[in-house]
Amino acid sequence: MVLNNNSDKSKKLIIYSASPFFDTWPKKFKLDKFKNYGFEVELWSAEEIFFKLENIKNAASGSSEYLYRDLDIIKIKSLAELENKIAELNPKAIVCIMNLGSLNDNEFDNPDLNFFNKYKIKYTLHHLCPYTVVPNMWSELKFNIRLLQKRMNNHKKKPSLIIGTGSEGRKQVFKIYKKNFIYKSVPSYNVLWTKEDPIINDRYIVYAEESVNAPPDAALIGYDKPTYDIEGFYKRINNVLEKIESWTNFRVIIAASGKYDYKINPFKNREIIYKKTSNLIQHSELVIGHSSLALEQAIVEYKPLLIINDEGFNDLKNKINYNFARSYRLNPIWTNQFTKNVFEKHNCVNFEIYNEIITKYLKEDNVDGTFINNITSAFHHI
């Protein structure tokens, strides 16, 4: 089933997350505005059940503003407490599950999901970041096997609604899930779809940094930093930025996500602007990055996009960068191989490919309206 965009009466909406509410996606969702669309919103976090307190602290250590504070968050500290809260929910309440928890290495062993099913709670799942596919036969074969494995293991999931993005997101959802559900396609929440006034009036280039000093995702699950040569990385990336500035006569602005506050500027005193990456990309001449989802904005704005690999990254990080680039039909560039010829070859836009990427991963052709309009409309229909 596919929904129409109509609103209904007010409902209680629980936004449930097994991991901490960091500041990025809740701000992009505009959770604090849901009340204007007829919802009484509660945020539930089960982070202390599924993650070590030390790892949670480390994940937020890069910035005092990285934890979400626009709305109160109810911290649930045990499985017994979680079950009691779910059991007490009004049957008309809706739960939007952002992610589920696992107490072992099996991502499909979810005690929180068992509680939602036990008490017959109406819940929503999402597929808002579709898996990107590297365009070759072997990768596509492995990818389809992966989707089949997920389908086989998803038998416990019984959502009333699934929210997805792009035509590829739609295809993946119907391959992954067996049960009957309503499907709603929405525009990507990672993209700023309306034009904003520029922050900077002159012409410039954007480098979207990825807080290599303190990457929160790695810290949360207790992994080593993906950059083992931080000093060398900054030396090489600054060399790349200097070359680009020399060849284009445009300065490079550092677009910082806000996951890490730079007490000392490692970018040779280039201007660092926090939490304005989408706006900066909108009005830039060229975008440089690694594999941040913020780079989707460059595709929507038809900006040349350079994906950078570095010998200071571990193998997994460079592989992620490579797959990210190839799924966008781009080739990553190594910092130690960054010549003028290489730059000129990559400083271009293939409009046909960009349009394909937008439709596949970011917004289907028949989707209109804002993310918040679409998602709240969907919630009102279950």
Side-chain angles (χ1 to χ4, degrees), residues 45-111:
S45 174
E47 62 194 68
E48 294 185 24
I49 300 175
F50 299 106
F51 294 93
K52 297 178 181 178
L53 289 176
E54 180 183 3
N55 290 355
I56 296 171
K57 182 178 178 181
N58 290 339
S61 65
S63 171
S64 61
E65 298 182 358
Y66 187 43
L67 289 174
Y68 182 69
R69 293 185 175 90
D70 290 355
L71 296 174
D72 292 334
I73 299 172
I74 297 171
K75 301 286 185 70
I76 302 169
K77 301 181 182 298
S78 69
L79 287 174
E81 181 185 356
L82 176 61
E83 181 171 12
N84 287 337
K85 288 191 71 64
I86 292 173
E88 292 170 358
L89 278 177
N90 186 304
K92 294 183 179 180
I94 302 167
V95 176
C96 177
I97 298 176
M98 295 307 301
N99 51 66
L100 291 162
S102 174
L103 297 174
N104 52 49
D105 292 333
N106 181 359
E107 64 172 306
F108 298 101
D109 183 16
N110 312 118

Side-chain angles (χ1 to χ4, degrees), residues 125-158:
L125 299 176
H126 72 87
H127 198 65
L128 294 172
C129 298
Y131 308 121
T132 53
V133 186
V134 177
N136 65 61
M137 186 178 298
W138 176 238
S139 294
E140 290 176 4
L141 176 61
K142 290 193 296 183
F143 176 73
N144 284 322
I145 293 173
R146 178 186 176 192
L147 292 184
L148 178 60
Q149 291 172 333
K150 284 186 173 292
R151 182 180 178 88
M152 293 171 64
N153 286 292
N154 271 338
H155 61 279
K156 289 198 302 183
K157 295 180 179 177
K158 304 172 183 177

Side-chain angles (χ1 to χ4, degrees), residues 151-155 173-174 176-181:
R151 182 180 178 88
M152 293 171 64
N153 286 292
N154 271 338
H155 61 279
V173 163
F174 283 96
I176 292 171
Y177 295 98
K178 303 177 184 177
K179 304 295 181 182
N180 293 327
F181 53 83

